Amino acid sequence: MLFETKEIDRRFYDENLADFLPARLIDIHTHVWLKDFRVEIAGDSRSQDWPRRVAEDNSIEDLMETYRLLLPQHEITPLIFGWPDRDVEIQSTNAYVSRVAEQRNLSGLIVTRPEWSEDELARRVSAGGFIGLKPYLNLAPLDIPAAEVSIYDFLPIRHLEVANDHGWVVVLHIPRPNRLKDALNIQQMVEIDTRYPHIKLVIAHVGRAYCLEDVGNAFKALKNTRHMVFDFSANTNSQVMELALRAVGPERLVFGSDLPIPRMRMRRICENGTYVNLVPPGLYGDVSGDVHMREVSQQQAQQLTFFLYEELNAFRHAAERVGLRAADIDDVFYHNAKRLIGETNKGGG
């Protein structure tokens, strides 16, 4: 068995999610890669350490088995891409996504390197049959301090222009310590929405606003955008989701999981604007040095279920407070993503 499911998980799913979720879902944010793609790197990877503790890789078979175990009453179609970090070999992870997407009739995104020229980007997308791009902040030039990386440092203008010409999907994990409320992030997101209207821009994790303090006044500006959508992958904050729903409406939210990370058994809290994952003792190794991880007692651990369930239940609470209709929920979990993916030609056509 890939991982253990318990009675508390089955009960949580039955009581909170089984009837809430539509029969069909599109998961617009999933990672598939193999541990054989790992490479040694020099220096800091710029990544949080804790996601690596959940799974050392996630084959396409593991992804589909995860859906079977966690969402047994639902049909899920993933949009897949590789693990976008410096210690995973880019060519290997992209080739794997291209191959398994073709084998299973799925859509995939290419993990990009910002140094690629316009022609190289277009050639790689076409050759791999991808429908868009997965840039990532950790692949920005290493001479830029991590806290100072901007969107354009890892998603350069020339890539945006090519993506706009082809109408590609772009799943964007925004940078910078202030996350969604960062003034430069807001400025550049608005610029992309305005200047590149044919890009199907997905802002991942509701702009990494995992705590309410991460939002600031961002939605005062972002509610006036016209094209970008927000996925709520790896986010368990129902207040943040509610703000997003009220700002841009259910037609511009999409479901994403960020699998395999939400296979984690946990519950998330916020303390002074910092998210903390509460986890069972010993399950994820020594977490004492990680500000985002905290072990609970064995007794408390018995009440913890899966990260994915916490995410989906947070959205359910937000949907109830906003008063979403069944049709709105169908849009968020299926139709909005279907339009994004269905309107995009594989191979950049």
Side-chain angles (χ1 to χ4, degrees):
M1 183 180 294
L2 184 60
F3 54 87
E4 180 186 13
T5 59
K6 302 179 180 181
E7 177 58 30
I8 187 173
D9 306 316
R10 290 184 284 273
R11 188 168 64 249
F12 192 101
Y13 169 77
D14 289 340
E15 293 177 358
N16 299 289
L17 302 175
D19 294 334
F20 169 72
L21 296 173
R24 296 181 301 173
L25 292 80
I26 292 176
D27 183 350
I28 207 164
H29 192 137
T30 67
H31 301 276
V32 292
W33 81 104
L34 303 179
K35 61 184 176 182
D36 293 344
F37 304 159
R38 294 288 295 274
V39 294
E40 295 292 328
I41 61 170
D44 184 7
S45 72
R46 293 175 169 168
S47 295
Q48 295 292 341
D49 181 59
W50 66 265
R52 294 283 195 181
R53 298 175 181 270
V54 181
E56 61 182 358
D57 64 6
N58 193 43
S59 67
I60 190 66
E61 293 80 10
D62 285 357
L63 177 65
M64 303 313 291
E65 176 66 1
T66 299
Y67 291 138
R68 187 189 72 81
L69 290 169
L70 296 188
L71 299 171
Q73 298 180 31
H74 307 277
E75 175 189 333
I76 302 98
T77 301
L79 173 64
I80 59 175
F81 38 90
W83 189 259
D85 217 335
R86 294 176 53 235
D87 63 351
V88 169
E89 208 282 314
I90 295 292
Q91 185 169 337
S92 296
T93 198
N94 284 333
Y96 180 71
V97 169
S98 174
R99 183 173 71 255
V100 300
E102 181 177 15
Q103 290 171 348
R104 293 177 177 255
N105 195 30
L106 300 174
S107 295
L109 304 183
I110 187 171
V111 176
T112 60
R113 297 297 300 250
E115 61 266 26
W116 291 347
S117 69
E118 300 95 314
D119 290 344
E120 183 174 8
L121 177 66
R123 177 182 61 78
R124 287 176 179 268
V125 171
S126 179
F130 299 104
I131 66 164
L133 317 180
K134 180 65 186 98
Y136 196 59
L137 60 95
N138 291 357
L139 300 176
L142 292 177
D143 58 350
I144 304 172
E148 298 176 17
V149 170
S150 77
I151 292 171
Y152 296 151
D153 292 324
F154 60 97
L155 178 57
I157 296 296
R158 62 182 181 277
H159 289 191
L160 288 164
E161 291 173 346
V162 177
N164 189 64
D165 288 344
H166 290 88
W168 288 338
V169 174
V170 176
V171 174
L172 176 62
H173 177 117
I174 64 173
R176 306 175 72 81
N178 282 331
R179 303 172 184 268
L180 186 61
K181 68 183 177 186
D182 184 275
L184 184 59
N185 278 340
I186 295 170
Q187 174 191 323
Q188 293 181 343
M189 284 189 286
V190 171
E191 288 174 355
I192 294 170
D193 186 84
T194 303
R195 296 176 183 175
Y196 308 104
H198 302 300
I199 290 177
K200 299 171 180 67
L201 181 65
V202 181
I203 304 299
H205 319 300
V206 198
R208 297 173 62 229
Y210 304 124
C211 295
L212 197 58
E213 292 88 342
D214 295 326
V215 178
N217 294 320
F219 283 117
K220 288 188 176 180
L222 297 176
K223 71 179 181 181
N224 296 317
T225 57
R226 297 180 59 191
H227 308 290
M228 71 176 67
V229 302
F230 297 81
D231 82 34
F232 49 92
S233 59
N235 197 317
T236 67
N237 195 306
S238 67
Q239 292 175 291
V240 171
M241 296 176 190
E242 180 181 352
L243 289 175
L245 284 167
R246 294 191 185 282
V248 301
E251 64 273 15
R252 285 173 56 193
L253 261 70
V254 290
F255 164 59
S257 68
D258 207 13
L259 280 167
I261 296 170
R263 280 166 30 189
M264 176 179 265
R265 189 171 292 280
M266 56 83 86
R267 181 170 62 85
R268 179 171 287 175
I269 62 172
C270 288
E271 291 182 344
N272 301 316
T274 298
Y275 72 87
V276 181
N277 301 322
L278 305 179
V279 298
L283 187 58
Y284 300 111
D286 182 6
V287 300
S288 59
D290 192 327
V291 298
H292 296 298
M293 296 282 279
R294 182 183 305 162
E295 292 184 342
V296 297
S297 69
Q298 288 286 2
Q299 182 178 7
Q300 291 170 316
Q302 299 306 311
Q303 304 304 312
L304 297 177
T305 189
F306 294 108
F307 191 170
L308 180 61
Y309 286 178
E310 296 285 353
E311 173 196 326
L312 292 169
N313 200 43
F315 183 81
R316 181 178 69 84
H317 287 304
E320 289 172 351
R321 290 196 297 270
V322 173
L324 295 191
R325 303 166 301 163
D328 297 325
I329 294 168
D330 284 347
D331 283 346
V332 170
F333 283 96
Y334 185 81
H335 294 291
N336 294 345
K338 181 67 174 177
R339 284 190 288 271
L340 289 176
I341 295 172
E343 295 170 0
T344 306
N345 295 321
K346 291 188 177 184

